[in-house]
Amino acid sequence: MDLYALLAQLLNGLAEASALFLVAAGLSLIFGVSRIVNFAHGSFFMLGMYVAHSLIERLGGGSWRVMGFWGALLLAALVVGLLGALVEMLLLRRIYKAPELFQLLATFALVLVFNDAALWIWGPEDLLGRRAPGLAGAVQLFGRAYPSYNLVLIVVGPAILGLLWVLLTRTRWGVMVRAATHDREMLGALGVNQAWLFTGVFALGCMLAGLGGALQLPREPASLGRDLTTIGDAFVIVVVGGMGSIPGAYLAALLIAEVKSICIGLGTVQLASITISFSKLTLVVEFLIMAVVLVVRPWGLLGRPQATNRHAAPVEAPLRRGSGRYAVAITVSLLAMAALPLLNQSLPYAAVLGQDVLVAILFVVSLHFMMGPGGMHSFGHAAYYGLGAYGAAILVKAAGLPMPLATLAAPLLAGLGAMLFGWFCVRLSGVYLAMLTLAFSQIVWSVVFQWDAVTGGSNGMIGIWPDEWLSGTRYYYLTLVIVALSAYVLRRFLFAPFGYALRAGRDSPLRADAIGIDVKRVQWLAFVIAGVFGGLAGTIYVFSKGSVSPDVISVGKSVDGLVMVLLGGIQALTGPIIGAAVFGVLQDSVMRATDYWRALFGGIILFLVLAFPQGLAGISLQIRSWWQHPRMAMTAERQEKLT
Amino acid sequence: MSDVVEPALLEVSGLNAWYGAAHILFDVALQVRRGEVISLMGRNGAGKSTTLKAIMGLLARRDGQIRFMGRDIAAKEPFQVARMGLGFVPEDRRIFPDLTVTENLETGRQQLRHWPDGSPALNWTPDALYELFPNLGRMQGRRGGQMSGGEQQMLTIARTLMGNPFLVLLDEPSEGVAPVIVEQMAHMILSLKARGASILLSEQNFHFAQLVSDRAYVLEKGQIMYEGSMRELAENDDIQRNYLGV
Ligand SMILES: Nc1ncnc2c1ncn2[C@@H]1O[C@H](COP(=O)(O)OP(=O)(O)O)[C@@H](O)[C@H]1O
Ligand SMILES: [Mg+2]
């Protein structure tokens, strides 16, 4: 790559950084003030693209087209900002005091709803936007043609950064926003109505995302997949830059965009006898950067340790041992699951769904093990599921191991992965830990995706079936036994001294440390155990399907697990089981009922979040308390409002 | 007392409060009248801070009657209470560390108030506060996080005064600051009092309280054990020994 080519790539990076920055800045701002990790932020970006497309079609023609074009972009940003304000007022306001992860779940439901809304309004086809009038061509730079529109983008990033800086430091509103970032309760006691501050910040953040999307339209078509790719990038940038830091977001956007551009510029390089494909590295390079930054500077490049959240959710209630009735319920469920294959005649599909639900239960129970009692929130549990699945496939296919041996060995492989990643992860906590787990799972994903020779790349691997004597219904029963045993073993762990130490470390790391518990070690061990059982789920999965593809390690898979844990309720041990079963059946039935299953599914999640902030497993508790102490429940609710 | 006709500025009765399941305050009752400086005394953990927070609406669970200037505030949010002219200075100061002194003051700013009889309440500007706290005036551009404990204590009081409150709830201004600062605090409170300010002060330091206040309530384990004039309390050795550890 010669010098001019390098310069051109660097310019590309600058343009790319602007778009990334706009989304990330909004996300960071929102997180800083409201502590809400807005999963739907990428959706606002996507909506910005679509709305801009529609507006430009209407306003961008005729003799006023220059003004119409730019006016349409700004208008699109405003529309998206307004939508953000509505979301904040109608939804988020009701759940600020819910546990952090519930807020995440609610915003995730919004992703589903917005995606289907866009599908309904704009259809499934990608929509190519008009070029900016007068900027459709290229300019000569360093002897090459360079798209002139990119020059606009290059300027927009720093300009918005400057405007935000002025807004935050030179206006009363900005001072309030910065104060709220640190201690919103105190700000309230000084007479500031936080509700409107939050609405304003959320609207501004969404407007920035919408603007980012609108500005991107002349460069790439609006598409329905843009919500999730955008939120992935934005999370990474916010974490690398430091959550809540706007200059940090620009720095991180610049760093990542430039490194990516250089990778593309380098292409495939021959070093000694090794061929390195740098362009393929772009898939993972941002996660590599994030992993390094989180390990070296856990608060991000320009971030600072998170202020203790004074509005933290209440301390988790102690786990209760099951009663006699509980044992009856378990037995009945097991018997019911065991009876499923008997329905083969009338409901041939039931056993297939049952198999999937069982695998999901194991996956989610293992995730819950580290999230609930362990207090470590993972956004990347699919990594271990995938290691188990691919591990088994490779051991059987490439190493020629017999299937039972592979079934034993593959989860251990996943455990090794968890051991390596967990060592880094347990050094962090909260959102940062979650982000690092996400980074590691993306790294695993991209290795699997690109290592064609061993993993089959994007095609995956096929023909991985259980031995003859274990096929069909027998495999279903094997699964049932393994899942039940695993759930039992994980439960036993929690009521052993190890489990007490784990929960002590979650509730009060300092005090646990003071009584001689090596909190990090205990958490590391929990991480590994969760990895092994997550891997076991993947192993069972691969033999039940006979094939595996990189999708099993995708962010979507991790998010599914998260949703199941939260649906079931994080405080109850039966939560993940209920969550996985409800999720599986719901998804299956909703998917077959309508084309807009995502919206319906999202709507159901939103309803559940608003109605049962303790999760589904909390329903029975909630109903019982209403029944037994109607008056107490009412006062408790009133007091909630007073908080 | 000559002003019996005027309702008390703050009137609390039957106040109970909880942290989680722990019942902390038991039927606390107290009153503050316009122009008074009242000390709420008691040992560490007696419930002084909890009382002030409960009045402000900062606790998840509380119960009882709280009337401020004749209006019921028991179900109001903290920001509503603050906007009615009840200022709160927390014991842990809670300065915004990234904000400069001037910006910290800005966060507390509210408009000028008038008493029901039409007379204006004290109207604070940053300049007036810099006069009251000369130290702050010399470091207007400094960030809150880079100030000493005593300076932060002054800033947190000044920040609340920016709201031009009718009444200030002041939680242990003398706690954890150097003796010279304690002295300055006492002067500051006396000077506020001379201008007609009303203050409900939580305090463990008996001499400090004696210097600045008119009346006192003594709390022990969340219950009011004594109420009376500061002068009577100074002569009551039993109460001092049993509840104040003097
Ligand atoms: N955040 C809290 N959570 C639980 N208990 C608390 C909390 N703050 C104070 N307490 C308890 O409430 C009681 C009263 O505390 P506090 O009002 O702070 O006392 P004081 O201000 O008189 O020193 C003490 O027993 C204390 O341990
Ligand atoms: Mg106190």
Side-chain angles (χ1 to χ4, degrees):
Chain A
M1 183 161 71
D2 63 30
L3 186 63
Y4 286 152
L6 179 71
L7 281 174
Q9 280 304 335
L10 288 179
L11 278 183
N12 269 338
L14 273 177
E16 206 60 53
S18 287
L20 292 174
F21 166 67
L22 287 186
V23 193
L27 187 63
S28 198
L29 206 58
I30 291 171
F31 174 80
V33 173
S34 65
R35 297 279 172 237
I36 289 220
V37 178
N38 180 22
F39 222 104
H41 212 64
S43 308
F44 288 105
F45 176 92
M46 178 190 78
L47 290 178
M49 291 183 105
Y50 277 110
V51 174
H53 183 274
S54 295
L55 288 175
I56 290 172
E57 288 305 305
R58 290 195 186 34
L59 307 175
S63 48
W64 292 93
R65 65 199 183 91
V66 176
M67 243 172 76
F69 178 88
W70 296 106
L73 291 194
L74 290 180
L75 205 56
L78 281 178
V79 168
V80 174
L82 211 61
L83 182 66
L86 277 179
V87 164
E88 198 279 341
M89 289 191 289
L90 297 180
L91 173 66
L92 299 181
R93 255 185 211 187
R94 295 163 200 278
I95 54 170
Y96 279 126
K97 275 153 204 155
E100 202 174 60
L101 284 166
F102 251 77
Q103 302 166 350
L104 198 70
L105 186 62
T107 59
F108 175 70
L110 282 179
V111 173
L112 300 176
V113 172
F114 285 151
N115 197 278
D116 264 0
L119 172 66
W120 186 66
I121 299 175
W122 288 284
E125 304 294 330
D126 288 2
L127 297 181
L128 201 58
R130 276 187 212 179
R131 296 298 190 80
L135 293 169
V139 289
Q140 287 300 118
L141 266 184
F142 316 120
R144 297 159 170 266
Y146 188 76
S148 11
Y149 186 72
N150 278 10
L151 296 176
V152 175
L153 280 188
I154 289 175
V155 179
V156 163
I160 297 282
L161 177 63
L163 282 177
L164 282 176
W165 184 81
V166 170
L167 182 68
L168 288 175
T169 57
R170 292 286 178 269
T171 68
R172 177 172 160 85
W173 189 79
V175 170
M176 296 301 173
V177 167
R178 282 156 60 217
T181 303
H182 189 77
D183 186 347
R184 44 190 165 142
E185 192 192 52
M186 186 64 227
L187 200 60
L190 289 168
V192 177
N193 184 354
Q194 302 165 58
W196 290 110
L197 200 60
F198 284 15
T199 309
V201 167
F202 203 81
L204 175 64
C206 292
M207 198 177 83
L208 287 174
L211 184 63
L215 283 170
Q216 196 67 3
L217 190 65
R219 303 177 79 208
E220 69 173 295
S223 77
L224 292 171
R226 208 54 173 86
D227 51 357
L228 286 184
T229 50
T230 306
I231 191 63
D233 287 346
F235 273 157
V236 169
I237 288 166
V238 168
V239 167
V240 169
M243 298 199 91
S245 164
I246 306 288
Y250 188 69
L251 190 64
L254 203 60
L255 177 70
I256 285 171
E258 290 299 358
V259 172
K260 271 189 172 179
S261 296
I262 292 172
C263 281
I264 293 173
L266 286 174
T268 310
V269 173
Q270 200 79 28
L271 267 180
S273 61
I274 311 165
T275 319
I276 302 178
S277 167
F278 278 98
S279 40
K280 274 191 177 177
L281 205 59
T282 51
L283 285 177
V284 71
V285 70
E286 63 195 272
F287 294 100
L288 283 176
I289 293 176
M290 174 159 89
V292 171
V293 168
L294 280 178
V295 169
V296 180
R297 274 187 73 93
W299 313 115
L301 294 175
L302 298 186
R304 247 161 304 173
Q306 233 169 300
T308 43
N309 187 353
R310 288 175 191 272
H311 259 304
V315 184
E316 297 206 5
L319 290 174
R320 267 184 298 266
R321 277 175 198 270
S323 61
R325 236 185 302 166
Y326 179 77
V328 173
I330 297 272
T331 317
V332 170
S333 322
L334 277 175
L335 286 176
M337 288 307 280
L340 270 190
L342 303 180
L343 299 177
N344 236 343
Q345 299 301 318
S346 47
L347 281 172
Y349 188 65
V352 177
L353 182 58
Q355 168 80 36
D356 290 350
V357 166
L358 282 176
V359 170
I361 286 177
L362 182 53
F363 177 59
V364 178
V365 166
S366 68
L367 175 60
H368 175 264
F369 185 78
M370 63 184 288
M371 279 181 61
M376 296 176 286
H377 302 154
S378 171
F379 285 10
H381 204 55
Y384 313 104
Y385 189 77
L387 282 175
Y390 270 96
I394 292 168
L395 286 174
V396 167
K397 280 271 158 186
L401 226 58
M403 177 248 176
L405 265 185
T407 307
L408 288 178
L412 297 181
L413 193 79
L416 276 180
M419 196 180 274
L420 175 66
F421 299 153
W423 191 83
F424 294 104
C425 289
V426 298
R427 259 136 256 277
L428 305 178
S429 63
V431 185
Y432 294 90
L433 186 150
M435 285 295 146
L436 192 56
T437 59
L438 174 69
F440 283 131
S441 83
Q442 283 303 100
I443 290 170
V444 172
W445 175 83
S446 68
V447 168
V448 166
F449 192 79
Q450 291 173 32
W451 202 5
D452 284 317
V454 176
T455 62
S458 57
N459 295 327
M461 303 170 72
I462 54 169
I464 313 136
W465 295 107
D467 289 349
E468 197 59 43
W469 59 279
L470 276 173
S471 60
T473 308
R474 290 202 203 106
Y475 193 71
Y476 176 81
Y477 283 115
L478 178 71
T479 305
L480 183 58
V481 170
I482 292 181
V483 171
L485 274 181
S486 304
Y488 176 74
V489 168
L490 284 173
R491 190 185 151 77
R492 281 306 298 265
F493 274 132
L494 291 181
F495 288 107
F498 165 76
Y500 299 140
L502 186 63
R503 279 183 271 152
R506 172 196 69 191
D507 292 337
S508 176
L510 285 180
R511 268 177 267 170
D513 213 45
I515 58 171
I517 297 173
D518 187 343
V519 175
K520 294 272 163 268
R521 234 188 136 75
V522 170
Q523 288 182 333
W524 190 28
L525 188 57
F527 203 106
V528 174
I529 293 172
V532 170
F533 283 94
L536 183 58
T539 306
I540 298 175
Y541 164 84
V542 74
F543 288 115
S544 78
K545 297 287 175 207
S547 66
V548 62
S549 77
D551 277 352
V552 300
I553 320 173
S554 65
V555 181
K557 180 79 196 166
S558 295
V559 170
D560 281 354
L562 210 59
V563 171
M564 291 184 235
V565 168
L566 296 172
L567 265 185
I570 197 163
Q571 301 202 11
L573 287 182
T574 40
I577 298 176
I578 297 174
V582 171
F583 183 98
V585 173
L586 211 58
Q587 191 178 41
D588 187 74
S589 49
V590 169
M591 255 172 100
R592 282 187 295 167
T594 160
D595 283 345
Y596 295 101
W597 63 271
R598 282 183 222 86
L600 191 54
F601 192 51
I604 293 173
I605 295 180
L606 282 180
F607 168 76
L608 292 176
V609 165
L610 290 173
F612 304 106
Q614 302 301 315
L616 290 184
I619 293 181
S620 64
L621 279 179
Q622 211 158 328
I623 290 175
R624 201 180 315 154
S625 78
W626 284 337
W627 182 251
Q628 288 172 347
H629 317 279
R631 257 174 44 89
M632 262 180 63
M634 270 178 57
T635 35
E637 241 172 316
R638 210 177 72 89
Q639 270 140 4
E640 283 292 290
K641 290 204 192 94
L642 291 179
T643 318
Chain B
M1 303 250 156
S2 60
D3 52 356
V4 272
V5 279
E6 194 172 331
L9 195 51
L10 178 71
E11 211 165 357
V12 174
S13 62
L15 180 64
N16 286 269
W18 293 260
Y19 284 113
H23 195 165
I24 304 291
L25 296 185
F26 300 85
D27 291 328
V28 168
L30 54 83
Q31 290 190 356
V32 185
R33 274 183 275 271
R34 185 171 168 180
E36 272 188 322
V37 175
I38 306 289
S39 280
L40 184 60
M41 309 203 59
R43 276 192 282 253
N44 226 343
K48 305 181 292 295
S49 302
T50 307
T51 305
L52 299 189
K53 285 191 217 160
I55 294 171
M56 260 331 267
L58 288 166
L59 293 185
R61 193 167 168 214
R62 63 169 179 178
D63 201 15
Q65 283 81 51
I66 311 170
R67 297 185 77 77
F68 177 60
M69 301 181 71
R71 290 163 72 187
D72 181 11
I73 58 167
K76 295 247 185 295
E77 302 253 2
F79 84 89
Q80 294 171 317
V81 175
R83 285 190 180 177
M84 290 167 66
L86 186 51
F88 172 61
V89 181
E91 67 182 324
D92 43 0
R93 299 176 193 136
R94 294 170 79 164
I95 286 304
F96 303 113
D98 293 345
L99 270 50
T100 63
V101 168
T102 319
E103 287 173 335
N104 263 288
L105 293 184
E106 181 67 25
T107 60
R109 196 183 82 200
Q110 292 183 60
Q111 82 284 44
L112 172 62
R113 293 172 206 287
H114 290 273
W115 289 93
D117 65 15
S119 58
L122 288 177
N123 182 22
W124 293 102
T125 60
D127 285 336
L129 287 165
Y130 293 144
E131 213 165 287
L132 187 65
F133 301 99
N135 289 10
L136 294 183
R138 284 190 289 273
M139 50 178 76
Q140 299 176 20
R142 184 163 311 172
R143 287 185 193 283
Q146 291 160 352
M147 300 167 72
S148 73
E151 290 157 0
Q152 285 189 352
Q153 185 66 59
M154 295 178 188
L155 179 55
T156 183
I157 296 171
R159 183 177 65 180
T160 298
L161 290 178
M162 279 295 286
N164 301 319
F166 292 124
L167 168 66
V168 180
L169 308 180
L170 184 51
D171 201 352
E172 292 215 40
S174 73
E175 189 196 22
V177 292
V180 277
I181 309 276
V182 175
E183 208 168 300
Q184 286 181 24
M185 291 290 167
H187 282 301
M188 182 270 304
I189 291 175
L190 287 173
S191 121
L192 286 179
K193 184 173 156 65
R195 298 185 210 195
S198 317
I199 299 173
L200 174 58
L201 178 81
S202 120
E203 197 46 72
Q204 286 192 61
N205 182 332
F206 186 76
H207 300 288
F208 186 92
Q210 192 179 14
L211 198 59
V212 300
S213 46
D214 308 308
R215 289 192 297 125
Y217 292 87
V218 176
L219 266 176
E220 169 76 4
K221 297 201 176 116
Q223 282 174 298
I224 300 273
M225 308 305 281
Y226 173 90
E227 88 172 87
S229 75
M230 208 61 224
R231 190 148 19 89
E232 285 161 11
L233 180 59
E235 287 159 7
N236 191 331
D237 289 342
D238 282 351
I239 295 282
Q240 287 192 35
R241 202 169 331 106
N242 290 340
Y243 303 125
L244 301 176
V246 176

